Structures are given as C-alpha cells and as structure tokens.
Amino acid sequence: MDVTEGFQPGDILIASDSRPVGIIEHVLHPTSGILLVIERAWAQRQYVVASATMVYSSEQPFGTTSWHTLSVPLATVISRGVYRRVMGRLVPDPHRGDVPRPHSPANDTAAASAILPLLASQPLTAAQPVTCTVRHGVACLGGRISTDAGSLEASHVARSVTDVWHVLVTVVSDEALVSHLRRAIRTDTESVPHVLTVSVRHGQGLIEVNSGTPSDAISRLANWTSDIEGLDSIEVRVASNNPEVIASTNYCQHKSG
C-alpha cells in the first residue's frame, strides 16, 4: 500500500511548521472525505481533527509506522477545533490550550543524549544493543534486546525524558524470537521430535537436534530464517550420542538481503 494514501491508528502527524500535531487515534470515512482524529502531542486526551487532504507527504522512517506531514501549520489545525471525549463522544474542549513552543533539532539531540545513558544504567537494558533516535519529540528505539521486559523498560525510560512526548519501539526481542521460532518448529511435525533446545542471541538462532536427525529435517529447520522477521540466521547443531559432547558438524542458514 502506498503510505501517501493510507492512514492507520498510531500514525504520526507533523505540521508544516515542524511542530508535532499528534498521533492518529481513529480514521473516519464520511461521504465528505477521510477525516483523521488525532490525539494531540504534549496534550494527552485532547484531540484535533484534520482532513486527509491536508497531508502533503508521507514516509516510514522507523519501522512500519507512517509519518505524515501536513501542508498547514499547527495553528491552523487547532483553529478548526480542539476536543475532548465525554462518554466516548468528541465535544469541544473549553481548555483548548495554546500552540506548544516550537520543537527544534537541538531538543531532539538533547533528548537522545539523555536517553542512552539512562538505558545503560537500567538492569534490563544495560549492555544491550539498543539504538535511539529522537525526531520531533518522538523517541524511536531500535536494535536488539534480550527480553520483552527489557523492551518495555526501554520504552518507559525514553518516555520519562523531557522533550519526548511519544515512543516508537522497533526493538527486536530475542525472547520474542524464541517464541516465534518454537511456534514455527511445532508446525513441522516430522522435525519437531528431533529438536532438543531452541535459543536466540542478538538475532542469531540456535537449534540443537539429536544425533540421527535426517538431513532434510535439518535443512527445513535452518530455512525458518526467512519466515521470521528479525531473525538473522539459524544454526542447527547436531548433538552426538554422548550427551557431554556436541558434534562438530553444524548447519547454518543466514537471511539473504
């Protein structure tokens, strides 16, 4: 789908004056044209509505979340009305708030510089290859991490930093990859009886199988790499008959491209 024509909840909108507008909560399809209900940046539970025709350009710089830039400044969007929810319905908010101060690249740089040391100091994120970029007050976390809990902690840390109003997490968790890999292996009823252990470290999968595993089963296990997003390679290691010795022959499949 062409992102310039598609809008999804969770997409980010930036005004023409580089001020963040907010996050799309709902996409409405009245006969008059597509309307975007947006939860405002820096003002949670306060909403504005923009027409899709205001969108000038779209991109996906981080993961699958689309960033849409409007052809009008933030003041124009706010002038069309600010709303809050009452019993699930949008009603005009008498406390509409002011246009927030401009957000500069210097703010983003300072926020990123603050986030990285905090990640390094937390027990679940320390020494993990997590990357951080801040753009228009949105912290974008990427890279890899060992556990799902670490991914949640990274998001919490980033959100606590001044000049950050939203966090996008594209961090790949080894723990989640293990779950995906085990689920895939269970669908191969001929290979699964031979599997002893499954692990992932920094996107590198390791499947240990018992001795005597047919070569076609080993090949199928190694080929799961291309089916699991975020998994870079799978090594299939064949155990010897002696439980204290691992055979030297390994089979490894790397993701192409």
Side-chain angles (χ1 to χ4, degrees):
M1 180 179 65
D2 184 350
V3 296
T4 62
E5 298 178 359
F7 304 95
Q8 300 292 333
D11 287 357
I12 295 168
L13 270 78
I14 307 297
S16 63
D17 53 3
S18 295
R19 286 182 165 96
V21 180
I23 302 170
I24 295 178
E25 185 191 71
H26 289 294
V27 181
L28 306 180
H29 297 269
T31 56
S32 58
I34 298 174
L35 295 177
L36 309 174
V37 179
I38 307 152
E39 184 174 17
R40 289 186 62 189
W42 313 110
Q44 290 183 337
R45 294 178 293 279
Q46 199 175 66
Y47 303 86
V48 292
V49 178
S51 169
T53 59
M54 292 181 175
V55 174
Y56 174 75
S57 64
S58 301
E59 58 179 328
Q60 289 181 324
F62 305 102
T64 58
T65 298
S66 294
W67 293 57
H68 307 288
T69 300
L70 303 181
S71 59
V72 298
L74 179 58
T76 298
V77 179
I78 291 177
S79 69
R80 293 165 59 94
V82 176
Y83 305 88
R84 57 187 173 90
R85 287 200 178 279
V86 176
M87 302 296 289
R89 297 174 62 87
L90 289 178
V91 299
D93 191 341
H95 307 290
R96 56 189 296 161
D98 298 326
V99 177
R101 62 181 174 81
H103 194 80
S104 71
N107 297 128
D108 292 337
T109 300
S113 297
I115 290 169
L116 291 173
L118 288 175
L119 293 176
S121 69
Q122 301 300 313
L124 296 180
T125 56
Q128 299 289 319
V130 177
T131 64
C132 177
T133 301
V134 181
R135 179 179 180 183
H136 296 293
V138 178
C140 307
L141 302 178
R144 298 188 179 277
I145 203 162
S146 298
T147 65
D148 291 339
S151 180
L152 291 174
E153 183 170 76
S155 177
H156 177 73
V157 166
R159 187 66 181 85
S160 70
V161 169
T162 302
D163 287 324
V164 171
W165 64 273
H166 183 56
V167 179
L168 286 178
V169 179
T170 62
V171 177
V172 178
S173 159
D174 287 339
E175 186 175 55
L177 290 177
V178 168
S179 297
H180 294 323
L181 185 53
R182 284 176 174 165
R183 190 178 303 115
I185 291 171
R186 285 196 294 268
T187 66
D188 186 348
T189 56
E190 294 183 10
S191 299
V192 70
H194 302 285
V195 176
L196 300 176
T197 63
V198 178
S199 61
V200 177
R201 180 176 174 80
H202 296 165
Q204 314 295 315
L206 174 62
I207 302 173
E208 185 181 338
V209 297
N210 56 35
S211 61
T213 300
S215 59
D216 61 333
I218 292 174
S219 178
R220 288 198 303 274
L221 290 171
N223 283 332
W224 280 114
T225 302
S226 59
D227 292 80
I228 301 176
E229 185 176 357
L231 192 62
D232 291 338
S233 67
I234 296 177
E235 176 186 349
V236 181
R237 183 177 297 173
V238 182
S240 71
N241 290 324
N242 183 343
E244 297 181 356
V245 179
I246 299 297
S248 60
T249 303
N250 297 330
Y251 301 81
C252 189
Q253 177 69 47
H254 292 272
K255 184 168 290 185
S256 61

